[in-house]
Amino acid sequence: MSSKLARTGLRAPVNVTWEMTLKCNLKCAHCLSDSGVAAADELTTPECRRLIDQLTHMKVFQVNIGGGEPFFREDFFELLQYAHDRQLVTCVSTNGTLVDDRLAKKLSRLKMLYLQVSLDGATAQVNDGIRGKGTYEKILQAMACLARHHVPFSINTVLTRINYSQLDALRKIAASFGSEMRVSRFRPSGRAKNSVDTLGPEKWQLENFALWLENHDLVRTGDSFFCLTSEKRRRKGLDMCGAAKMTCCISPNGDVYPCAFLQESPFHAGNVRKDDFQDMWDNSMVFSNLRNLNVETCMTCSRFDVCRGGCPAMAYHTYHDINMPDPECLVNLKKIAS
């Protein structure tokens, strides 16, 4: 991405993360939104429809829908169909526990849908330690239903210190269902603020994971690990934070933030109930600050063109200052290790 584009952003997000509800039946130890109980002021069905209309008018390509567990919304399937009727691609993150043959068959009829099913361990002991007792078997059953009905999905794993050794086994599980594997970064936001000391990856694990990624080119990461990527993966375009430049986040009640991991008051850009989404994207000072962020201590680093200071959310949750460098970039990891 060019420096000019980084400063100005695109005329609209390429994709938007939409946390549609906080309601969830699980209490995952690393949940970015600390979900469980639905918020009292979540967007209504008509408000969701109006938001979808705005996104399609702006020509947003894709909406990444999460929560909470989005399938708990009684109107969720209706909203998915509404989005698809307007040619809006949807990627839905689910914990899988509500997926059965009936739901999988309904989902198979949607042609602009992709699912991410969360699985945080290749064994029940590891996965259930993070996601809750009995979830491992339920997730495997959900994936079997999706595969049987030819619903495209990937396994999404948040890298932690306790599942690091199971990456290859998780790839094999994904392959057994004909699906891909996606690895996401552990960021200490939401409930993860309380579990970072027990689940956050060790420095040596992150360094070795960078090598593992280089040798597993088909494993997807989005922009989670651009600060750890090699030149080989950088050529795929995974080279900087997309917050406020290519993407942003909408919370269940319509609040807008630069990314899902910066849903904090200093980064509140407005609310879709009373503010025009296009105006927020174009003119929000919060977004402008992210687009013009220069982490001065990183400017002379040999890897600056690769990561441009790293993940602002990691800096904020570690130092409460987005002007600080990403503590988990390859250079900083090696400095700390030495």
Side-chain angles (χ1 to χ4, degrees):
M1 183 185 296
S2 70
S3 59
K4 180 180 179 181
L5 185 57
R7 292 191 301 272
T8 61
L10 299 170
R11 62 170 182 77
V14 173
N15 62 67
V16 170
T17 296
W18 184 359
E19 309 292 342
M20 233 181 222
T21 182
L22 284 181
K23 187 175 182 180
C24 192
N25 57 332
L26 303 184
K27 288 280 187 180
C28 300
H30 55 22
C31 178
L32 68 92
S33 56
D34 196 11
S35 59
V37 179
D41 57 347
E42 293 182 357
L43 297 179
T44 64
T45 303
E47 288 173 329
C48 288
R49 285 173 173 262
R50 285 195 292 272
L51 177 56
I52 291 169
D53 289 340
Q54 287 189 61
L55 298 179
T56 54
H57 178 73
M58 291 173 67
K59 294 184 170 55
V60 171
F61 173 69
Q62 177 175 300
V63 176
N64 300 326
I65 301 172
E69 174 50 54
F71 284 108
F72 266 118
R73 281 194 66 127
E74 293 182 358
D75 60 357
F76 185 52
F77 194 84
E78 171 193 338
L79 292 172
L80 277 178
Q81 186 65 66
Y82 188 79
H84 295 175
D85 288 345
R86 279 142 189 79
Q87 303 302 303
L88 189 59
V89 177
T90 55
C91 178
V92 178
S93 294
T94 176
N95 63 37
T97 59
L98 300 183
V99 176
D100 55 16
D101 272 308
R102 181 192 61 82
L103 179 56
K105 186 175 181 179
K106 286 181 66 176
L107 294 173
S108 70
R109 295 195 287 266
L110 299 176
K111 303 306 179 187
M112 301 180 72
L113 171 71
Y114 192 84
L115 292 184
Q116 290 182 175
V117 182
S118 296
L119 180 67
D120 286 312
T123 59
Q125 179 182 9
V126 172
N127 176 84
D128 293 7
I130 298 171
R131 308 194 67 82
K133 186 176 180 180
T135 56
Y136 180 77
E137 290 300 329
K138 289 180 180 178
I139 295 165
L140 292 186
Q141 291 169 15
M143 293 191 293
C145 291
L146 294 171
R148 189 157 47 245
H149 292 282
H150 307 289
V151 180
F153 72 94
S154 63
I155 288 177
N156 186 72
T157 300
V158 176
L159 182 68
T160 64
R161 70 180 61 179
I162 66 172
N163 66 20
Y164 164 80
S165 63
Q166 296 189 332
L167 289 171
D168 287 321
L170 283 161
R171 281 192 73 235
K172 290 179 181 177
I173 291 175
S176 73
F177 288 103
S179 69
E180 298 178 310
M181 180 180 177
R182 185 179 190 275
V183 183
S184 295
R185 190 173 178 186
F186 183 101
R187 294 179 176 97
S189 65
R191 199 175 294 132
K193 293 177 182 178
N194 300 321
S195 61
V196 62
D197 291 336
T198 55
L199 292 180
E202 302 277 7
K203 296 175 182 63
W204 68 268
Q205 292 174 326
L206 288 168
E207 288 188 287
N208 288 349
F209 179 68
L211 297 174
W212 187 87
L213 275 181
E214 187 169 358
N215 294 318
H216 295 83
D217 209 33
L218 296 180
V219 173
R220 297 188 295 127
T221 62
D223 67 358
S224 289
F225 289 103
F226 59 89
C227 67
L228 291 177
T229 55
S230 66
E231 183 64 25
K232 177 182 176 182
R233 287 183 69 90
R234 185 194 172 204
R235 288 195 293 270
K236 288 187 163 187
L238 309 174
D239 64 349
M240 69 182 298
C241 169
K245 308 173 189 76
M246 299 179 67
T247 187
C248 63
C249 174
I250 302 170
S251 75
N253 72 347
D255 286 333
V256 178
Y257 301 93
C259 90
F261 299 96
L262 286 175
Q263 295 184 71
E264 307 273 345
S265 56
F267 306 102
H268 183 248
N271 185 284
V272 298
R273 281 186 166 123
K274 58 186 179 66
D275 302 307
D276 179 72
F277 192 84
Q278 181 77 66
D279 184 59
M280 284 185 279
W281 179 258
D282 290 339
N283 301 311
S284 164
M285 285 302 299
V286 170
F287 285 5
S288 178
N289 289 340
L290 263 291
R291 290 165 186 162
N292 290 282
L293 181 65
N294 282 316
V295 182
E296 292 186 4
T297 55
C298 296
M299 301 279 287
T300 58
C301 176
S302 61
R303 282 179 56 87
F304 181 73
D305 286 339
V306 178
C307 77
R308 298 178 184 272
C311 173
M314 282 299 300
Y316 178 77
H317 290 296
T318 304
Y319 308 114
H320 300 288
D321 184 356
I322 62 171
N323 295 291
M324 293 291 285
D326 187 326
E328 291 182 350
C329 81
L330 280 176
V331 174
N332 285 331
L333 286 173
K334 289 173 180 175
K335 283 181 180 178
I336 294 170
S338 61

